[in-house]
Amino acid sequence: MKKRVKRTFLLHHWLGLVAGILLVIISLTGSVLVFDDAIDEAVFADKAILAHPAHHLRLDASVERVRLQYPGWDIRVPALPEAPDQALRYELRQKQQKKWLFVHPETGAQLATVGQAHHRFTQLLLDIHYTLLAGTPGKVLVMLCGLSLLTLTITGFILYRRAILKVLLFRQHISRKSRRSFFSSLHRIVGVWALAFNLLMSLSGLVLTYKVLESALKGDTKTIAVPPLTGSVDAALHQVQQQYPDFKVTYLRFPVNAAGSVQLRGHFRSDPAYYGTIYSSISANYKTGALEKTDFVRDKPWFARIPLVLQTLHITDYAGVFLKILYSFFGLMPGLLSISGFVIWYYRQQRQPEPAQKRSLGKVAR
């Protein structure tokens, strides 16, 4: 074995062992989080479905009341109602805490409250996936895991590059000669099929974890004081429809201080799906409701679009059900590779019986 290949193998081997258990955790949680919105919809369906459909969406009927009722909370609307029987949901954030308020989209009447939305199942999975429930040190570990997966993908490509075509043409079969050969061939086949996906997930995951870690290191020292919204949010939404008829607003974020603005986030229907659903935005003055400035993904230079596209590809908010199933399936591959790699290492540690000729020579020597 050439020295370069041997070094590559050792790096792949030991890095896989060291990062293996964390990659299994991140792999499993990521495969479930592909369906986080669907899970939340199912769990909170009794609160989100209206008994009587609404005819209009009127945020002005509820947003000021929510502001007065919850001072010191960051107010957002993570998704506007898509159907007449769907309630309007506010998400309130204060450090690590989250509350959900379900209100009638037309009358503004409060229907239900989830006081500890930060304890729901999908949020727990998110916290494990991005922080390992260990705060800032956990975020650092997750970033290191992303670097490990990227390195393992590259070294795996170098080690198995000659087998890629054979695997893709289904000429590589799983060996059943022994347990070690079974897991070795399985590791090779799974690694080849997951090569492109693992590269995508590691690169896009690194972009996300960098942003999460950067935000954690900066700290959250700002005091949240949402100012009175004297301008009409409904009028701002109507103005968006008039000026940008192809723009679909999907997310609202309200100012956290007097210097802020109402952010109407969304996307152009004509944009590629991989531009995401919330990375373009229009800012509105919270005092007058007038539109002030735009920040569209399509207008950014190509190098500024790449991180946004990678984020979209990682969190799959652009994907349909079939693609989400594929994501979930391939999301299990890093975990499976970690387990099979450990099993291969384990069987290599088992003492091999000495050849009969070597044993007889040893007896003669004695």
Side-chain angles (χ1 to χ4, degrees):
M1 184 182 291
K2 294 181 180 180
K3 287 185 178 180
R4 186 174 60 182
V5 175
K6 187 175 182 180
R7 290 195 201 102
T8 303
F9 172 78
L10 288 174
L11 177 61
H12 187 87
H13 174 78
W14 288 110
L15 190 58
L17 287 176
V18 172
I21 185 63
L22 297 181
L23 287 174
V24 170
I25 294 171
I26 293 172
S27 174
L28 289 173
T29 53
S31 290
V32 179
L33 283 169
V34 169
F35 303 103
D36 60 342
D37 289 337
I39 293 171
D40 283 337
E41 287 175 10
V43 172
F44 299 102
D46 60 325
K47 298 176 176 60
I49 302 301
L50 302 175
H52 303 287
H55 298 94
H56 302 282
L57 173 63
R58 296 194 174 108
L59 282 101
D60 292 341
S62 57
V63 65
E64 183 62 14
R65 177 179 54 77
V66 172
R67 184 189 74 85
L68 293 172
Q69 189 176 351
Y70 296 94
W73 289 79
D74 181 356
I75 304 173
R76 309 180 185 203
V77 176
L80 291 175
E82 294 281 350
D85 63 345
Q86 188 176 351
L88 174 65
R89 173 166 61 90
Y90 285 94
E91 181 173 279
L92 310 179
R93 299 186 182 187
Q94 192 179 75
K95 295 183 178 180
Q96 303 303 317
Q97 294 183 311
K98 290 183 181 180
K99 294 180 185 291
W100 281 4
L101 305 180
F102 293 90
V103 305
H104 195 283
E106 188 169 12
T107 66
Q110 191 162 326
L111 305 175
T113 302
V114 180
Q116 294 184 321
H118 50 284
H119 286 163
R120 71 190 192 278
F121 174 65
T122 52
Q123 184 64 52
L124 175 62
L125 290 182
L126 274 170
D127 291 340
I128 295 173
H129 192 74
Y130 286 109
T131 72
L132 299 172
L133 300 179
T136 301
K139 294 172 184 177
V140 174
L141 277 176
V142 171
M143 175 169 272
L144 291 176
C145 280
L147 287 170
S148 298
L149 180 58
L150 178 59
T151 306
L152 287 167
T153 303
I154 294 171
T155 54
F157 170 78
I158 294 171
L159 293 172
Y160 296 119
R161 63 190 185 278
R162 294 179 180 176
I164 290 177
L165 186 60
K166 192 175 180 181
V167 171
L168 296 179
L169 293 176
F170 299 98
R171 294 176 182 172
Q172 176 72 56
H173 303 291
I174 295 177
S175 173
R176 291 178 175 79
K177 293 179 180 179
S178 65
R179 291 180 180 178
R180 178 181 165 184
S181 61
F182 172 84
F183 283 101
S184 181
S185 58
L186 177 66
H187 190 83
R188 182 185 298 109
I189 292 171
V190 171
V192 168
W193 279 106
L195 196 64
F197 183 83
N198 287 348
L199 184 62
L200 172 63
M201 287 298 102
S202 58
L203 288 173
S204 57
L206 282 170
V207 171
L208 278 169
T209 52
Y210 174 79
K211 295 191 70 173
V212 170
L213 183 58
E214 183 184 36
S215 177
L217 293 176
K218 283 182 179 177
D220 189 9
T221 57
K222 292 182 180 179
T223 300
I224 297 174
V226 180
L229 303 172
T230 54
S232 171
V233 179
D234 294 327
L237 286 171
H238 180 71
Q239 194 175 349
V240 169
Q241 290 180 347
Q242 295 296 314
Q243 294 189 23
Y244 306 96
D246 192 37
F247 191 82
K248 180 180 180 181
V249 178
T250 58
Y251 189 108
L252 300 179
R253 186 171 182 182
F254 298 95
V256 296
N257 54 47
S261 61
V262 178
Q263 295 180 29
L264 312 171
R265 298 183 181 180
H267 63 279
F268 286 95
R269 293 176 178 84
S270 57
D271 279 344
Y274 52 77
Y275 276 6
T277 59
I278 63 170
Y279 295 123
S280 292
S281 67
I282 301 171
S283 298
N285 190 302
Y286 67 85
K287 295 179 182 178
T288 64
L291 305 186
E292 293 185 328
K293 64 177 182 178
T294 62
D295 183 22
F296 299 144
V297 175
R298 58 165 61 176
D299 296 335
K300 296 179 183 292
W302 66 268
F303 55 83
R305 274 181 261 172
I306 290 176
L308 299 175
V309 169
L310 286 174
Q311 288 181 66
T312 301
L313 293 176
H314 193 91
I315 62 178
T316 70
D317 65 345
Y318 72 101
V321 175
F322 177 72
L323 193 54
K324 283 179 180 289
I325 292 172
L326 283 180
Y327 260 79
S328 183
F329 173 75
F330 278 100
L332 294 171
M333 297 301 104
L336 181 57
L337 288 168
S338 297
I339 293 171
S340 60
F342 173 80
V343 174
I344 293 169
W345 170 83
Y346 174 79
Y347 282 120
R348 277 184 180 152
Q349 304 312 301
Q350 304 303 304
R351 302 188 76 182
Q352 299 294 329
E354 288 185 292
Q357 183 180 2
K358 188 173 181 180
R359 287 200 304 269
S360 61
L361 288 174
K363 291 179 180 178
V364 171
R366 287 196 296 271

